[in-house]
């Protein structure tokens, strides 16, 4: 027998949905990308400590910083979203709550990420 | 109900109240805790960029909080979480590649992670607060 699950279990769609490998791989890929990005971002944050409005805007608006910031925002939130999904799956046991929390968490990540990217572009292109 | 089918009410393992923490287990749970903290902190930092794009008044409001004691603790704490999660994450990537599973190696890499994250955090606080 090649599949130990009952036909009912398979029909319900619980258990492996065949995207576990994609989750694992995406988490590692974003982790590797974040190594240089987080080092760069942490150093920048420390250097900008106490900087005023004009200095911060000039920094955000320079072309290289814009690219690196948008990368950090999108890759960082993607990585965080993958990690939080596992945390929710581990500790929240009711199916309804689990789904609701994962959906809410993903929506928040996308909304904040998009808003921050728009903010970076607006500063860079002088909107 | 036969004895074999009766649900057992034995303590579950690891039984946290009597479980002596080891370096490896503490670092493991700290990786998850810092990951959650970094995610929440990422929203705070996203707000920083959004306020910088909004107006000078909005930004000075936000910067006022950043430079307060609470703001310093939030940002300084976020930096510690970032350095810890970063160095322990690299430790995890080595494990994923199949290296460092011997108990001796796991402890040695664990202490390296502790040292690197504490030194990087201390350095970032000293420079960030302009103490030198």
């Amino acid at each position: 027998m090649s599949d130990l699950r009952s036909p009912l279990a398979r029909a319900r769609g619980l258990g492996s949905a065949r995207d576990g490998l994609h989750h694992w791989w995406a988490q590692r890929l974003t982790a590797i990308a974040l190594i240089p990005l987080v080092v760069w971002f942490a150093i920048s944050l420390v250097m900008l400590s106490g900087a005023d409005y004009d200095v911060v805007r000039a920094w955000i608006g320079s072309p290289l910083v814009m690219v690196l910031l948008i990368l950090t925002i999108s890759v960082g939130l993607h990585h965080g979203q993958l990690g939080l999904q596992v945390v929710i799956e581990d500790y929240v046991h009711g199916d309804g709550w689990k789904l609701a929390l994962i959906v809410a968490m993903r929506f928040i990540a996308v909304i904040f990420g998009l808003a921050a990217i728009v903010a970076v572009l607006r500063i860079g292109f002088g909107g | 109900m036969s004895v074999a089918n009766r649900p057992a009410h034995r303590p579950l393992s690891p039984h946290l109240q009597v479980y002596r923490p080891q370096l490896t287990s503490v670092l493991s749970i700290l990786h998850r805790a810092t990951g959650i903290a970094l995610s929440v902190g990422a929203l705070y930092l996203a707000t920083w960029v959004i306020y910088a794009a909004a107006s000078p008044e909005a930004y000075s409001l936000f910067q006022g909080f950043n430079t307060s004691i609470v703001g310093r603790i939030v940002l300084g704490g976020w930096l510690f979480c970032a350095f810890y999660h970063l160095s322990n994450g690299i430790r995890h990537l080595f494990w994923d590649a199949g290296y460092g599973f011997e108990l001796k190696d796991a402890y040695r890499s664990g202490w390296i992670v502790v040292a690197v994250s504490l030194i990087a955090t201390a350095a970032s606080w000293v420079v960030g607060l302009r103490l030198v």
Side-chain angles (χ1 to χ4, degrees):
Chain A
M1 191 160 62
S2 60
D3 191 347
L4 294 170
R5 283 183 301 163
S6 68
L8 178 63
R10 219 175 302 133
R12 277 179 177 154
L14 301 173
S16 173
R18 302 271 175 248
D19 68 353
L21 179 66
H22 173 255
H23 185 285
W24 190 92
W25 177 238
Q27 200 169 33
R28 268 71 191 170
L29 198 64
T30 49
I32 294 167
L34 280 169
I35 295 173
L37 289 173
V38 166
V39 170
W40 165 79
F41 184 71
I43 292 172
S44 306
L45 202 60
V46 168
M47 290 317 196
L48 284 168
S49 165
D52 63 19
Y53 182 69
D54 294 326
V55 173
V56 169
R57 277 180 68 100
W59 178 76
I60 294 175
S62 62
L64 179 65
V65 172
M66 279 174 75
V67 172
L68 291 176
L69 254 189
I70 291 171
L71 268 178
T72 309
I73 292 164
S74 49
V75 179
L77 284 174
H78 189 200
H79 185 80
Q81 175 259 117
L82 291 167
L84 288 182
Q85 184 196 331
V86 176
V87 172
I88 293 170
E89 284 168 352
D90 281 353
Y91 302 132
V92 182
H93 298 308
D95 281 339
W97 273 110
K98 187 184 293 190
L99 185 65
L101 273 174
I102 290 175
V103 169
M105 179 271 293
R106 287 206 165 162
F107 280 12
I108 291 170
V110 170
I111 290 167
F112 271 80
L114 193 59
I117 289 168
V118 168
V120 169
L121 295 175
R122 216 182 133 201
I123 293 171
F125 296 126
Chain B
M1 193 187 280
S2 72
V3 175
N5 289 336
R6 200 180 300 150
H9 293 290
R10 289 189 293 267
L12 295 169
S13 174
H15 197 48
L16 289 177
Q17 289 88 347
V18 295
Y19 198 71
R20 190 170 63 89
Q22 312 108 322
L23 177 73
T24 43
S25 65
V26 170
L27 294 187
S28 173
I29 194 64
L30 202 55
H31 193 72
R32 187 162 269 206
T34 52
I36 297 169
L38 285 169
S39 303
V40 177
L43 302 184
Y44 176 73
L45 291 167
T47 313
W48 172 57
V49 180
I50 293 165
Y51 273 54
S55 69
E57 293 76 30
Y59 186 75
S60 67
L61 200 74
F62 197 77
Q63 189 67 348
F65 176 74
N66 269 344
T67 47
S68 70
I69 300 286
V70 181
R72 290 295 191 194
I73 292 171
V74 169
L75 287 173
W78 192 88
L79 282 172
F80 166 73
C81 291
F83 292 132
Y84 175 77
H85 201 87
L86 175 71
S87 44
N88 200 50
I90 293 172
R91 183 166 170 246
H92 267 282
L93 288 173
F94 273 100
W95 284 334
D96 291 335
Y99 299 105
F101 279 117
E102 290 296 325
L103 196 57
K104 175 172 62 69
D105 298 332
Y107 270 87
R108 193 168 52 189
S109 60
W111 284 119
I112 291 173
V113 164
V114 171
V116 168
S117 46
L118 288 182
I119 291 168
T121 305
S124 72
W125 288 3
V126 167
V127 177
L129 296 171
R130 306 284 186 269
L131 297 177
V132 284

